[in-house]
Amino acid sequence: QVQLVESGGGSVQAGGSLRLSCTPSEDTARDYCMGWFRQVPGKKREWVAHFYTSDDATTYADSVKGRFAISQDKPKNTLYLQMNSLKPEDTAMYYCAADPCPYASDYRAHVGGTHDYNSWGQGTQVTVSS
């Protein structure tokens, strides 16, 4: 399994921005599904965004669409989550996830929730105050 390290979390006021980073232990420039998830204590983990590294396809949860952007810097082998117009309800622990996805159908399976990710980072806390 690939090891993932997140960074970039912190505290910000509502309306502010943060950029999260996720650095994998191996090259994920192609044939990988990657995603950002978040979880609040006592609540179910929620997916935020998915990314397919073979064609840079993106999928966003309705709650963050238009405010968050997932991207990958391939030379740096780093996945990002740019978060703008942050709201207090975005407060959560954010996790990066990854899985080998040699086929586009694998990406659709991850987006559809029929296939879970096998590699997870340790998480980075985001706190948005009103």
Side-chain angles (χ1 to χ4, degrees), residues 42-92:
K43 292 192 175 181
K44 187 180 177 182
R45 186 180 64 201
E46 172 190 25
W47 74 274
V48 175
H50 296 282
F51 187 85
Y52 187 39
T53 66
S54 293
D55 61 8
D56 292 356
T58 60
T59 309
Y60 296 96
D62 287 343
S63 59
V64 306
K65 200 172 293 183
R67 301 189 298 122
F68 291 12
I70 187 171
S71 63
Q72 184 188 42
D73 185 324
K74 296 185 188 298
K76 293 184 178 179
N77 192 35
T78 300
L79 184 76
Y80 298 105
L81 183 69
Q82 178 66 44
M83 304 185 295
N84 299 325
S85 302
L86 282 161
K87 304 176 181 179
E89 51 263 43
D90 294 319
T91 295

Side-chain angles (χ1 to χ4, degrees), residues 7 13 16 18 29 32 34 37 42 46 51-52 59 65 72 78 85-86 95 99-100 103 106 112 120 125 129-130:
S7 62
Q13 289 197 327
L18 282 173
Y32 264 86
M34 301 192 75
F37 291 73
E46 172 190 25
F51 187 85
Y52 187 39
T59 309
K65 200 172 293 183
Q72 184 188 42
T78 300
S85 302
L86 282 161
Y95 297 90
D99 229 10
Y103 305 107
D106 298 321
W120 295 85
Q125 178 68 36
S129 58
S130 57

Side-chain angles (χ1 to χ4, degrees), residues 1-4 23-29 32 34 72 77 100:
Q1 291 181 353
V2 60
Q3 306 298 313
L4 303 167
T23 304
S25 60
E26 60 187 64
D27 186 7
T28 58
Y32 264 86
M34 301 192 75
Q72 184 188 42
N77 192 35

